Amino acid sequence: MIKLSSKLSQRLSYTILFLATLLAIIPVSAIIFTIIKNGASAITWEFLTAMPKNGMHGGGILPAILGTLSIVTCTIVITLPIGVCAAIYLNEYAKDNLLTRIIKLAIINLAGVPSVVYGLFGLGIFVMFLKLDVSIIAGALTLSIMELPVIITTSRSALNSVPYSFREASLSLGVSRWQTIRYIVLPNALPGILTGAILSISRISGETAPVLFTAAAFSVPHLPHSIFDQVMVLPYHLYIISTQIPNMPKNIIFGTALVLLMIVLTMSFIAIVARIYFRKRRKW
């Protein structure tokens, strides 16, 4: 009777977990299928490589693609080193006192601040106060501040996952603390750190509010030449053609969404491959 009850409970648990997984997968699959079905016809070489024309009813979205890639790349280059260094300090060097506990709590709380607040902050600090104007660098700095809590939190979790015995064994051999972190802790924590990078890439690629105030333009007649140029970005461009331009062909709207989706998936795939590679090299 006890064995039967245990098996029944186990099957019930598996069923509930399976249904919960389906509830998560089915809506996402339906969204992706709808985007591909309605937008695949718009994906042509001209659409990917040409400038917009005829009031965005024709031509392509090359400026928006390059603008998105520029901002995402700049953001990751700024955020990842700073976030990882901050996580190393908080996890490996900082003492557990009231100040560090307040800092850790503040980092967690900042991760929940709405993105539009970061956009207004970036507008006030980077665009107006620092006179960077509406540009790639202003947008990247704003997105960096928004993503730092995520990078720091995931990096600290990755560092904590490395057994403390690894540190003790290294230090017992007379190796300095920094050398222990550099050659023992960081390589083993790298897969988890890359997980934070994946989450950041996925989020910042689709953000509209922060870049709306700091980097995005309705239309730019040329490609960006430097990080101080204003750019078109795919999320804002998608919002414009969906709500502000009358009689916009449906396939162009969904085609733009499909390109944005493919960029996010491609960048995430590259980061996932890197994470798997470093995880396989881990010795524990």
Side-chain angles (χ1 to χ4, degrees), residues 236-259:
Y236 183 57
H237 179 71
L238 182 59
Y239 166 75
I240 290 295
I241 63 176
S242 301
T243 61
Q244 306 298 317
I245 301 178
N247 303 319
M248 175 61 68
K250 182 180 179 182
N251 67 328
I252 292 181
I253 296 175
F254 280 95
T256 303
L258 180 58
V259 171

Side-chain angles (χ1 to χ4, degrees), residues 44-51 59-63 65 223:
T44 63
W45 183 249
E46 180 186 9
F47 184 71
L48 297 175
T49 60
M51 304 290 288
I61 57 172
L62 179 61
I65 294 174
L223 300 179

Side-chain angles (χ1 to χ4, degrees), residues 144-194:
S144 295
I145 292 175
M146 186 180 74
E147 286 307 303
L148 270 176
V150 177
I151 294 290
I152 293 173
T153 302
T154 54
S155 297
R156 285 190 63 238
S157 298
L159 293 169
N160 278 325
S161 69
V162 180
Y164 193 75
S165 58
F166 286 17
R167 298 171 176 82
E168 291 179 331
S170 178
L171 293 172
S172 67
L173 296 174
V175 179
S176 68
R177 177 175 290 187
W178 167 244
Q179 288 176 320
T180 299
I181 294 169
R182 168 66 180 82
Y183 296 104
I184 303 298
V185 179
L186 270 180
N188 287 290
L190 201 54
I193 292 172
L194 288 175

Side-chain angles (χ1 to χ4, degrees), residues 185-221:
V185 179
L186 270 180
N188 287 290
L190 201 54
I193 292 172
L194 288 175
T195 300
I198 293 169
L199 294 173
S200 296
I201 290 171
S202 301
R203 184 182 180 189
I204 63 181
S205 298
E207 283 292 345
T208 303
V211 295
L212 169 64
F213 296 111
T214 58
F218 175 82
S219 178
V220 177

